Amino acid sequence: QVHLVESGGGLVQAGGSLRLSCATSGRTFSSRAMGWFRQAPGKEREFVASISWSGGNTDYADSVKGRFTISRDNAKNTLYLQMNSLKPEDTAVYYCAAARSRYGSRRTWEYDYWGQGTQVTVSS
């Protein structure tokens, strides 16, 4: 069992930055890929970024590439998402998720544990 708790969301002006954290419990964090997804009102949940179990491989949605950075600290069982140059279209609830495998995926069904989400609102 893996328990995930996101934090760090909030209200920020366009062009600003936020750093999301995802604290995890359970002994399997370091052996799983992790991902960030987001869901805006009225829209489907979408992939944002993923990172392999070791942190050696990362993947980003085109919409956030160059602005967001995913990272992990396996010693602290924590996942991060640094978000820079935020845009109003980044407004959504952001979820962290633990994958079934060591390597990340863009597909929601490849993840079997999810956090409760943290709201990010970017004002124009």
Side-chain angles (χ1 to χ4, degrees):
Q1 188 77 9
V2 178
H3 187 55
L4 309 174
V5 179
E6 302 95 336
S7 62
L11 173 64
V12 64
Q13 288 189 331
S17 297
L18 283 174
R19 189 194 196 200
L20 304 184
S21 298
C22 174
T24 75
S25 63
R27 294 179 292 178
T28 62
F29 175 79
S30 61
S31 64
R32 291 174 177 261
M34 298 292 295
W36 287 100
F37 291 77
R38 67 187 181 186
Q39 188 167 17
K43 294 188 176 182
E44 293 187 352
R45 191 168 298 189
E46 65 174 3
F47 170 78
V48 175
S50 68
I51 187 167
S52 63
W53 66 282
S54 65
N57 295 92
T58 58
D59 184 28
Y60 296 92
D62 288 345
S63 59
V64 307
K65 197 172 294 184
R67 300 187 298 122
F68 290 10
T69 303
I70 189 171
S71 62
R72 65 190 297 161
D73 186 336
N74 285 347
K76 295 182 178 179
N77 287 348
T78 303
L79 176 73
Y80 303 99
L81 185 68
Q82 178 66 45
M83 305 186 295
N84 298 329
S85 303
L86 283 161
K87 304 175 181 180
E89 51 263 43
D90 294 319
T91 295
V93 177
Y94 283 71
Y95 299 88
C96 66
R100 295 190 181 90
S101 71
R102 289 175 174 260
Y103 295 95
S105 169
R106 296 187 172 206
R107 297 180 286 268
T108 57
W109 59 88
E110 300 282 3
Y111 296 80
D112 53 1
Y113 294 102
W114 294 81
Q116 84 289 347
T118 185
Q119 176 71 46
V120 171
T121 303
V122 184
S123 63
S124 57

